[in-house]
Amino acid sequence: MKRLTAPLIGLIALALPLAIALTYLWIDPALAQTVTEAEPATTSAHADLAMIGAAIAAGLASLGAAYAVAMVGSAAVGALTEKPELLGRLLILVGLAEGIAIYGLIVAVLILNTV
């Protein structure tokens, strides 16, 4: 079985929250049309779906970022043992891998902003 590389995991972790957010935005107008003053349960269901979507977006992005940082970090430590002058460049690579979690958090905040 072929191992997934860190960039592929990062791409998946970035694509999943965006797909969830776009699906939520696509469903949102249909939910907004069904909400009336007589049906407060629909509003509660709308908020529940938003909370679930935000949790999935932040959680999966964090898992993807953790895997990417583990792969990039271990490779960076190996490279640093041979060439210590690469520290600055390798820190940038680890920071880029960690940025995936920030993207998931931003998507989660955007979803929760609509509630």
Side-chain angles (χ1 to χ4, degrees):
M1 184 168 106
K2 186 177 179 183
R3 284 186 54 181
L4 294 176
T5 61
L8 181 60
I9 294 294
L11 183 64
I12 291 170
L14 180 61
L16 275 174
L18 289 176
I20 291 169
L22 290 176
T23 303
Y24 171 74
L25 292 174
W26 177 66
I27 292 173
D28 187 40
L31 288 174
Q33 291 173 356
T34 60
V35 174
T36 62
E37 296 296 326
E39 297 180 20
T42 307
T43 306
S44 174
H46 176 65
D48 290 345
L49 286 175
M51 298 290 180
I52 291 171
I56 290 172
L60 288 178
S62 296
L63 285 175
Y67 184 78
V69 167
M71 293 294 121
V72 171
S74 64
V77 169
L80 280 176
T81 58
E82 294 183 14
K83 289 188 175 183
E85 63 270 9
L86 294 177
L87 177 66
R89 292 179 186 170
L90 295 175
L91 282 178
I92 292 172
L93 293 176
V94 174
L96 288 174
E98 185 60 34
I100 297 168
I102 296 171
Y103 296 141
L105 182 65
I106 290 170
V107 169
V109 168
L110 290 174
I111 290 173
L112 291 176
N113 195 26
T114 62
V115 176

